[in-house]
Amino acid sequence: MVHDAWHVRHKAVEDQHEAARIEIKALEKKIARVVDRLISSDSAVVIAVCEREIEKLERKKIVLEEQTASTKLQKQAPAEFIELVLEFLANRCIIWRISG
C-alpha cells in the first residue's frame, strides 16, 4: 500500500515537472518573439511595452523554475522511508510523549 502511494506521488511529481518544462519552453518562445518585435521597432512606446512584457514573462519563467526545483524527485527507494516510519511507530514511548 505504501509502495503504491509512493509510486503515485512520484508519478504526480514527474508529471508536474514535465508540465513545467513544457510551459517554460513556451515562455522562452514567447520571449523570443517579443524580443524580435522589440528589435524591429523604432517606437519608444512599443519598446516600453515590449520590455514590460519581457519582464512579465521572465518572472513567470523564474517562478516555474523555482517550483520545479523545490519539488525535486526523491531518488531513494520507498523502503528506506518505510524503515524510518516503522522504527518510529515501534517506539511507543515517543508516541506517548508527543501525544501527552
Side-chain angles (χ1 to χ4, degrees):
M1 183 169 95
V2 174
H3 195 268
D4 292 339
W6 174 268
H7 287 293
V8 167
R9 175 69 181 135
H10 194 268
K11 178 69 173 136
V13 170
E14 284 179 344
D15 292 345
Q16 288 174 350
H17 282 208
E18 183 60 28
R21 278 190 291 272
I22 290 169
E23 194 167 345
I24 287 170
K25 286 181 182 179
L27 286 171
E28 288 172 346
K29 288 179 183 178
K30 286 180 185 178
I31 291 169
R33 284 194 303 263
V34 175
V35 167
D36 290 341
R37 218 180 318 147
L38 177 73
I39 292 170
S40 65
S41 177
D42 293 331
S43 170
V45 174
V46 173
I47 291 172
V49 170
C50 288
E51 288 174 346
R52 283 194 300 271
E53 183 68 17
I54 290 169
E55 288 174 12
K56 184 177 88 172
L57 293 170
E58 285 288 343
R59 280 194 301 271
K60 284 183 183 179
K61 181 180 166 190
I62 290 169
V63 167
L64 284 172
E65 289 170 343
E66 287 175 355
Q67 287 174 347
T68 302
S70 69
T71 58
K72 290 191 177 191
L73 295 173
Q74 297 292 332
K75 298 295 182 192
Q76 296 90 353
E80 294 174 24
F81 295 105
I82 293 171
E83 264 183 53
L84 182 61
V85 169
L86 292 177
E87 182 180 325
F88 174 78
L89 291 174
N91 192 341
R92 294 180 184 173
C93 183
I94 293 173
I95 295 172
W96 180 76
R97 284 186 203 146
I98 290 173
S99 66

